[in-house]
């Protein structure tokens, strides 16, 4: 037993000489092993703030895991289609203009495969529909031998133009979401919440330092085995002035760091930025859907008119045949 006491005393003397980092490490290890007698408790209000900050961080992580897709142009692009370089060379509008000037099938085919004038066209679902619709329209036009134009081919061309406008509206929505929502939420997650995390770490460091100072001053730097605490450490009223001063200094630092962390966490929780950014997300989506509704509202009666006309011609031809 005397050997254990001597070993404990040697550890205590070492503890007085080691660095603050090592002191905190000793204290943390003691707490993990259940060897710490007294652990300074954080105020309940502080713990509540920590829980709220943790919840806010999880909210940002969950939402960004999904909404970050707005940063990727092809998030709704079909994985099962393969488009060539020439398919992506020009916009549908440009191809329609070239096709309107074509007088032969060869010129029409050349218009569809005209070399690009700028960067490849966007890979979105609506743009893919536009390109497929225009190509389908031309297939029907090339094989049409009757009088006038093939109504389905005409409808597909108009659908292609509308779909391209839908794709451009989606890209405009994505750009707004990236700048007005994603940028803000990423800043909150990677900067504001990071500051809060750093402040909380400083509080934990200050607490460990305080408890290690108290432990060292009371002669309980470490206990060996599962025995009772040593009976030869001085009581709190027997602490030397130097030890008392060291404890008070550590307590002041702990209070200072706690107050700073409370201020940082409240600032993160009270800032209106996340909600403002979310409002911008909804506004961008609303603007896109309004634009989409406008485009389709213009297209629907045109397609319906072509369909009604075709059906009337179909009935007329059946009646003539009978």
């Amino acid at each position: 037993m005397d050997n254990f006491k001597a070993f404990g005393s040697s550890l205590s003397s070492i503890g007085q000489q080691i660095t603050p980092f090592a002191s905190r490490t000793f204290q943390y290890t003691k707490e993990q092993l259940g060897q710490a007698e007294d652990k300074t408790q954080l105020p309940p209000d502080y713990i509540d703030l920590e829980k709220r900050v943790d919840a806010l961080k999880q909210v940002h992580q969950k939402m960004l895991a999904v909404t970050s897709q707005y940063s990727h142009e092809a998030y709704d692009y079909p994985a099962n289609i393969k488009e060539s370089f020439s398919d992506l060379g020009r916009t549908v509008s440009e191809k329609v203009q070239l096709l309107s000037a074509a007088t032969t099938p060869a010129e029409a085919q050349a218009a569809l495969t005209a070399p690009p004038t700028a960067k490849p066209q966007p890979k979105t679902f609506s743009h893919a529909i536009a390109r497929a619709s225009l190509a389908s329209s031309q297939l029907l036009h090339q094989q049409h031998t009757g009088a006038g134009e093939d109504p389905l081919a005409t409808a597909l061309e108009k659908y292609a133009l509308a779909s391209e406008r839908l794709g451009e509206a989606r890209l405009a929505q994505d750009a707004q979401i990236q700048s007005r929502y994603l940028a803000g939420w990423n800043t909150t997650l990677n900067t504001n919440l990071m500051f809060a995390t750093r402040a909380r770490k400083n509080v934990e460091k200050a607490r460990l330092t305080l408890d290690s100072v108290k432990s060292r001053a009371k002669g309980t730097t470490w206990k060996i085995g599962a025995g009772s605490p040593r009976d030869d450490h001085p009581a709190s009223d027997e602490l030397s002035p130097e030890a008392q001063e060291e404890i008070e200094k550590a307590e002041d630092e702990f209070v200072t760091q706690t107050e700073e962390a409370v201020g940082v966490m409240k600032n993160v929780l009270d800032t209106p930025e996340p909600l403002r950014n979310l409002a911008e997300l909804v506004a961008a989506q609303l603007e896109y859907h309004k634009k989409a509704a406008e485009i389709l509202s213009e297209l629907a009666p045109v397609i319906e008119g072509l369909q009604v006309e075709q059906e009337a011609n179909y009935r007329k031809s059946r009646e003539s045949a009978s």
Side-chain angles (χ1 to χ4, degrees):
M1 187 66 179
D2 291 339
N3 291 335
F4 283 156
K5 288 184 177 180
F7 182 62
S9 298
S10 65
L11 283 176
S12 180
S13 63
I14 293 173
Q16 297 174 7
Q17 304 172 23
I18 56 181
T19 65
F21 173 77
S23 296
R24 292 194 299 269
T25 303
F26 269 125
Q27 182 64 27
Y28 177 79
T29 304
K30 285 170 58 181
E31 291 176 0
Q32 295 302 305
L33 297 176
Q35 291 287 313
E37 290 184 358
D38 298 312
K39 179 179 177 180
T40 301
Q41 299 299 313
L42 292 163
D45 290 346
Y46 178 90
I47 294 175
D48 288 341
L49 284 174
E50 284 191 314
K51 291 179 179 178
R52 291 176 61 196
V53 168
D54 288 339
L56 184 63
K57 182 178 181 180
Q58 291 177 22
V59 166
H60 276 68
Q61 291 172 332
K62 286 180 180 295
M63 287 294 293
L64 287 172
V66 178
T67 55
S68 61
Q69 293 302 305
Y70 283 113
S71 299
H72 308 294
E73 178 186 283
Y75 64 75
D76 63 352
Y77 184 73
N80 62 312
I81 65 172
K82 297 185 183 299
E83 294 185 294
S84 66
F85 183 73
S86 61
D87 292 332
L88 303 172
R90 289 178 181 255
T91 67
V92 167
S93 300
E94 289 174 335
K95 289 180 179 180
V96 168
Q97 289 179 351
L98 292 173
L99 286 168
S100 64
T103 57
T104 65
E107 290 178 351
Q109 185 60 31
L112 289 174
T113 58
T117 57
K119 65 178 182 178
Q121 295 307 300
K123 284 190 172 184
T124 74
F125 186 46
S126 292
H127 283 91
I129 289 177
R131 290 187 287 267
S133 296
L134 183 60
S136 299
S137 171
Q138 288 309 301
L139 284 173
L140 293 175
H141 275 309
Q142 291 170 7
Q143 302 302 322
H144 182 63
T145 56
E149 294 185 345
D150 185 313
L152 179 57
T154 302
L156 284 168
E157 181 178 300
K158 294 184 180 300
Y159 182 47
L161 291 168
S163 294
E164 184 173 64
R165 291 173 62 196
L166 288 173
E168 293 302 314
R170 202 222 77 181
L171 292 176
Q173 168 204 247
D174 295 354
Q176 288 187 342
I177 290 174
Q178 289 171 40
S179 62
R180 300 179 185 177
Y181 165 76
L182 289 177
W185 273 52
N186 275 304
T187 297
T188 299
L189 178 64
N190 298 321
T191 303
N192 300 358
L193 285 167
M194 193 66 69
F195 285 153
T197 299
R198 189 177 305 162
R200 290 166 62 181
K201 287 181 178 178
N202 289 338
V203 171
E204 182 64 7
K205 288 179 182 178
R207 185 197 65 76
L208 288 170
T209 298
L210 172 59
D211 288 347
S212 68
V213 169
K214 287 180 178 179
S215 179
R216 186 168 65 250
K218 295 177 181 179
T220 56
T221 301
W222 197 272
K223 298 195 295 292
I224 304 301
S228 301
R230 297 202 316 275
D231 298 326
D232 57 351
H233 65 266
S236 59
D237 56 356
E238 299 175 359
L239 294 176
S240 67
E242 293 80 7
Q244 189 64 41
E245 181 181 356
E246 189 178 6
I247 290 176
E248 290 176 357
K249 182 179 178 181
E251 286 176 339
D252 289 343
E253 178 64 15
F254 173 64
V255 171
T256 298
Q257 293 297 337
T258 301
E259 290 176 347
E260 288 184 2
V262 166
V264 172
M265 288 192 288
K266 283 185 175 180
N267 182 63
V268 171
L269 293 169
D270 295 342
T271 179
E273 280 302 307
L275 185 53
R276 183 184 298 127
N277 298 148
L278 183 61
E280 294 286 0
L281 168 64
V282 174
Q285 291 176 322
L286 177 61
E287 184 177 346
Y288 163 66
H289 287 291
K290 281 184 175 179
K291 186 65 174 177
E294 176 186 324
I295 293 170
L296 293 174
S297 294
E298 293 174 0
L299 174 67
V302 175
I303 299 294
E304 184 177 358
L306 289 168
Q307 186 266 328
V308 169
E309 182 181 355
Q310 184 193 42
E311 202 158 307
N313 291 334
Y314 175 75
R315 285 198 301 270
K316 187 182 298 185
S317 65
R318 296 286 291 181
E319 289 170 0
S320 300
S322 60

Coordinates of all heavy atoms in Angstrom, one line a residue, residues 130-179:
A130 N -37.0 18.0 -75.2 CA -37.1 18.9 -76.3 C -36.3 18.3 -77.5 O -36.8 18.4 -78.6 CB -36.5 20.3 -75.9
R131 N -35.1 17.8 -77.2 CA -34.3 17.3 -78.3 C -35.0 16.0 -78.9 O -35.0 15.8 -80.1 CB -32.9 17.0 -77.8 CG -32.1 18.2 -77.5 CD -30.7 17.9 -77.2 NE -30.5 17.3 -75.9 CZ -30.2 18.0 -74.8 NH1 -30.1 19.3 -74.8 NH2 -30.0 17.4 -73.6
A132 N -35.5 15.2 -78.1 CA -36.2 14.0 -78.5 C -37.4 14.3 -79.4 O -37.7 13.7 -80.4 CB -36.5 13.0 -77.4
S133 N -38.2 15.3 -78.9 CA -39.4 15.7 -79.6 C -39.1 16.3 -81.0 O -39.8 16.0 -82.0 CB -40.2 16.8 -78.8 OG -40.6 16.2 -77.6
L134 N -38.0 17.1 -81.0 CA -37.7 17.7 -82.3 C -37.2 16.6 -83.3 O -37.6 16.6 -84.5 CB -36.6 18.8 -82.2 CG -36.2 19.5 -83.4 CD1 -37.4 20.2 -84.1 CD2 -35.1 20.5 -83.2
A135 N -36.4 15.7 -82.8 CA -35.9 14.7 -83.7 C -37.1 13.8 -84.2 O -37.1 13.4 -85.4 CB -34.9 13.8 -82.9
S136 N -38.0 13.5 -83.3 CA -39.2 12.7 -83.7 C -40.0 13.5 -84.7 O -40.6 12.9 -85.6 CB -40.0 12.4 -82.4 OG -39.3 11.7 -81.5
S137 N -40.2 14.8 -84.5 CA -40.9 15.6 -85.4 C -40.3 15.5 -86.8 O -41.1 15.3 -87.8 CB -40.9 17.0 -85.0 OG -41.5 17.9 -86.0
Q138 N -39.0 15.6 -86.9 CA -38.4 15.5 -88.2 C -38.5 14.1 -88.9 O -38.6 14.0 -90.1 CB -36.9 15.9 -88.1 CG -36.7 17.4 -87.8 CD -37.5 18.2 -88.8 OE1 -37.3 18.1 -90.1 NE2 -38.4 19.1 -88.4
L139 N -38.5 13.1 -88.1 CA -38.7 11.7 -88.6 C -40.0 11.7 -89.3 O -40.2 11.1 -90.4 CB -38.6 10.7 -87.5 CG -37.2 10.4 -87.0 CD1 -37.3 9.4 -85.8 CD2 -36.4 9.7 -88.1
L140 N -41.1 12.2 -88.7 CA -42.4 12.2 -89.3 C -42.5 13.1 -90.5 O -43.1 12.7 -91.5 CB -43.4 12.6 -88.2 CG -43.6 11.7 -87.0 CD1 -44.6 12.3 -86.0 CD2 -44.2 10.3 -87.5
H141 N -41.9 14.2 -90.4 CA -41.9 15.2 -91.6 C -41.2 14.5 -92.8 O -41.7 14.6 -93.9 CB -41.1 16.5 -91.3 CG -42.0 17.5 -90.6 ND1 -43.2 17.9 -91.1 CD2 -41.8 18.2 -89.4 CE1 -43.7 18.8 -90.3 NE2 -42.9 19.0 -89.3
Q142 N -40.1 13.8 -92.6 CA -39.4 13.2 -93.7 C -40.2 12.1 -94.4 O -40.0 11.9 -95.6 CB -38.1 12.7 -93.2 CG -37.1 13.8 -92.8 CD -35.9 13.2 -92.1 OE1 -35.7 12.0 -92.0 NE2 -35.0 14.1 -91.5
Q143 N -41.1 11.4 -93.6 CA -41.8 10.3 -94.2 C -43.2 10.7 -94.6 O -44.0 9.9 -95.1 CB -41.9 9.2 -93.2 CG -40.5 8.6 -92.7 CD -39.7 8.1 -93.9 OE1 -40.2 7.5 -94.8 NE2 -38.4 8.4 -93.8
H144 N -43.6 12.0 -94.4 CA -44.9 12.4 -94.7 C -45.1 12.7 -96.2 O -44.3 13.4 -96.8 CB -45.2 13.7 -93.9 CG -46.6 14.3 -94.1 ND1 -47.8 13.6 -93.8 CD2 -47.1 15.4 -94.7 CE1 -48.8 14.2 -94.1 NE2 -48.4 15.4 -94.7
T145 N -46.1 12.1 -96.8 CA -46.3 12.2 -98.2 C -47.6 12.9 -98.6 O -47.9 13.2 -99.7 CB -46.2 10.9 -98.9 OG1 -47.2 10.0 -98.3 CG2 -44.9 10.2 -98.7
G146 N -48.5 13.1 -97.6 CA -49.8 13.6 -97.8 C -49.8 15.2 -98.0 O -48.7 15.8 -97.9
A147 N -51.0 15.7 -98.2 CA -51.1 17.2 -98.4 C -50.9 17.8 -97.0 O -51.2 17.3 -96.0 CB -52.4 17.5 -98.9
G148 N -50.4 19.0 -97.0 CA -50.2 19.8 -95.8 C -49.1 19.1 -94.9 O -48.2 18.4 -95.4
E149 N -49.1 19.5 -93.6 CA -48.1 19.0 -92.7 C -48.7 17.9 -91.8 O -49.9 17.8 -91.6 CB -47.6 20.1 -91.8 CG -46.8 21.2 -92.6 CD -46.2 22.2 -91.6 OE1 -46.6 22.2 -90.4 OE2 -45.3 22.9 -92.1
D150 N -47.9 17.0 -91.3 CA -48.3 16.0 -90.4 C -48.6 16.7 -89.1 O -47.7 17.3 -88.5 CB -47.2 15.0 -90.2 CG -47.6 13.8 -89.4 OD1 -48.2 14.0 -88.3 OD2 -47.3 12.6 -89.7
P151 N -49.9 16.5 -88.6 CA -50.2 17.2 -87.3 C -49.4 16.8 -86.1 O -49.1 17.6 -85.3 CB -51.7 16.9 -87.2 CG -52.0 15.7 -88.0 CD -51.0 15.8 -89.1
L152 N -49.1 15.5 -86.1 CA -48.3 15.0 -84.9 C -46.9 15.6 -85.0 O -46.3 16.0 -83.9 CB -48.3 13.5 -84.9 CG -47.4 12.9 -83.8 CD1 -47.9 13.3 -82.4 CD2 -47.5 11.3 -83.9
A153 N -46.3 15.7 -86.2 CA -45.0 16.3 -86.3 C -45.0 17.7 -85.9 O -44.1 18.2 -85.3 CB -44.5 16.1 -87.8
T154 N -46.1 18.4 -86.3 CA -46.2 19.9 -86.0 C -46.3 20.0 -84.5 O -45.7 20.9 -83.8 CB -47.4 20.5 -86.7 OG1 -47.3 20.3 -88.1 CG2 -47.5 22.0 -86.3
A155 N -47.1 19.2 -83.9 CA -47.3 19.2 -82.4 C -46.0 18.9 -81.7 O -45.7 19.6 -80.7 CB -48.4 18.3 -82.0
L156 N -45.3 17.9 -82.1 CA -44.0 17.6 -81.5 C -43.0 18.7 -81.6 O -42.2 18.9 -80.6 CB -43.4 16.3 -82.1 CG -44.1 15.0 -81.7 CD1 -43.7 13.8 -82.6 CD2 -43.8 14.7 -80.2
E157 N -43.0 19.4 -82.7 CA -42.0 20.5 -82.8 C -42.4 21.6 -81.8 O -41.5 22.2 -81.2 CB -42.1 21.1 -84.2 CG -41.1 22.2 -84.5 CD -41.1 22.7 -85.9 OE1 -40.8 21.9 -86.8 OE2 -41.4 23.9 -86.1
K158 N -43.7 21.9 -81.7 CA -44.1 23.0 -80.7 C -43.8 22.5 -79.3 O -43.4 23.3 -78.4 CB -45.6 23.3 -80.9 CG -45.9 23.9 -82.3 CD -47.3 24.3 -82.4 CE -47.6 25.0 -83.8 NZ -46.8 26.2 -84.0
Y159 N -44.0 21.2 -79.0 CA -43.7 20.7 -77.7 C -42.2 20.8 -77.4 O -41.8 21.1 -76.3 CB -44.2 19.2 -77.6 CG -44.0 18.6 -76.3 CD1 -44.4 19.2 -75.1 CD2 -43.5 17.3 -76.2 CE1 -44.2 18.6 -73.9 CE2 -43.3 16.7 -75.0 CZ -43.6 17.3 -73.8 OH -43.5 16.7 -72.6
A160 N -41.4 20.6 -78.4 CA -40.0 20.7 -78.3 C -39.5 22.1 -77.9 O -38.7 22.3 -77.0 CB -39.3 20.3 -79.6
L161 N -40.1 23.1 -78.6 CA -39.8 24.5 -78.2 C -40.2 24.8 -76.8 O -39.5 25.5 -76.1 CB -40.5 25.4 -79.2 CG -39.9 25.4 -80.7 CD1 -40.8 26.1 -81.6 CD2 -38.5 26.0 -80.7
A162 N -41.4 24.3 -76.4 CA -41.9 24.6 -75.1 C -41.1 23.9 -74.0 O -40.8 24.5 -73.0 CB -43.4 24.2 -75.0
S163 N -40.7 22.7 -74.3 CA -39.9 21.9 -73.4 C -38.5 22.6 -73.1 O -38.0 22.6 -72.0 CB -39.7 20.5 -73.9 OG -40.9 19.8 -73.9
E164 N -37.9 23.1 -74.2 CA -36.7 23.8 -74.0 C -36.8 25.0 -73.1 O -36.0 25.3 -72.3 CB -36.1 24.3 -75.4 CG -34.7 24.9 -75.3 CD -34.1 25.2 -76.6 OE1 -34.7 26.0 -77.4 OE2 -33.1 24.6 -77.0
R165 N -37.9 25.8 -73.3 CA -38.2 26.9 -72.4 C -38.4 26.4 -70.9 O -37.9 27.1 -70.0 CB -39.4 27.6 -72.9 CG -39.3 28.4 -74.2 CD -40.6 28.9 -74.7 NE -41.1 29.9 -73.7 CZ -42.4 30.3 -73.7 NH1 -43.3 29.8 -74.6 NH2 -42.8 31.2 -72.8
L166 N -39.0 25.3 -70.8 CA -39.1 24.7 -69.4 C -37.7 24.4 -68.8 O -37.5 24.7 -67.6 CB -40.0 23.4 -69.5 CG -41.5 23.6 -69.7 CD1 -42.1 22.2 -69.9 CD2 -42.1 24.3 -68.6
G167 N -36.9 23.8 -69.7 CA -35.5 23.5 -69.2 C -34.8 24.8 -68.8 O -34.0 24.8 -67.8
E168 N -34.9 25.8 -69.6 CA -34.2 27.1 -69.3 C -34.8 27.7 -68.0 O -34.0 28.3 -67.2 CB -34.4 28.1 -70.4 CG -33.7 27.7 -71.7 CD -32.2 27.5 -71.5 OE1 -31.5 28.3 -70.8 OE2 -31.6 26.5 -71.9
A169 N -36.1 27.6 -67.8 CA -36.7 28.1 -66.5 C -36.2 27.3 -65.3 O -35.9 27.8 -64.2 CB -38.2 28.0 -66.6
R170 N -36.0 26.0 -65.5 CA -35.5 25.2 -64.4 C -34.0 25.6 -64.1 O -33.6 25.6 -62.9 CB -35.5 23.7 -64.8 CG -35.5 22.7 -63.6 CD -34.6 21.5 -63.8 NE -33.2 21.9 -63.6 CZ -32.2 21.0 -63.8 NH1 -32.4 19.8 -64.2 NH2 -30.9 21.4 -63.6
L171 N -33.2 25.8 -65.1 CA -31.9 26.3 -64.8 C -31.8 27.6 -64.1 O -31.0 27.9 -63.3 CB -31.1 26.4 -66.2 CG -30.8 25.0 -66.9 CD1 -30.1 25.3 -68.2 CD2 -29.9 24.1 -66.0
A172 N -32.7 28.5 -64.5 CA -32.8 29.8 -63.8 C -33.2 29.6 -62.3 O -32.7 30.3 -61.4 CB -33.8 30.7 -64.5
Q173 N -34.1 28.7 -62.1 CA -34.5 28.4 -60.7 C -33.3 27.9 -59.9 O -33.0 28.3 -58.8 CB -35.6 27.3 -60.7 CG -35.8 26.7 -59.3 CD -36.4 25.3 -59.4 OE1 -37.6 25.1 -59.0 NE2 -35.7 24.3 -59.8
D174 N -32.5 26.9 -60.5 CA -31.4 26.3 -59.9 C -30.4 27.4 -59.5 O -29.8 27.4 -58.4 CB -30.8 25.3 -60.7 CG -31.7 24.1 -61.0 OD1 -32.8 24.1 -60.3 OD2 -31.4 23.2 -61.8
A175 N -30.1 28.3 -60.4 CA -29.2 29.4 -60.2 C -29.6 30.3 -59.0 O -28.7 30.6 -58.2 CB -29.0 30.3 -61.4
Q176 N -30.9 30.6 -58.9 CA -31.4 31.3 -57.8 C -31.2 30.6 -56.5 O -30.8 31.1 -55.4 CB -32.8 31.7 -58.0 CG -33.1 32.8 -59.1 CD -34.5 33.2 -59.1 OE1 -35.4 32.5 -58.6 NE2 -34.8 34.3 -59.8
I177 N -31.5 29.3 -56.5 CA -31.4 28.5 -55.3 C -30.0 28.4 -54.8 O -29.7 28.4 -53.6 CB -32.0 27.1 -55.5 CG1 -33.6 27.2 -55.7 CG2 -31.7 26.1 -54.4 CD1 -34.3 25.9 -56.1
Q178 N -29.1 28.2 -55.8 CA -27.7 28.1 -55.4 C -27.2 29.4 -54.7 O -26.5 29.3 -53.7 CB -26.8 27.9 -56.6 CG -27.0 26.5 -57.2 CD -26.3 26.3 -58.6 OE1 -25.2 26.8 -58.8 NE2 -26.9 25.6 -59.5
S179 N -27.5 30.6 -55.2 CA -27.0 31.8 -54.7 C -27.8 32.3 -53.5 O -27.2 32.9 -52.6 CB -27.0 32.9 -55.8 OG -28.3 33.2 -56.2

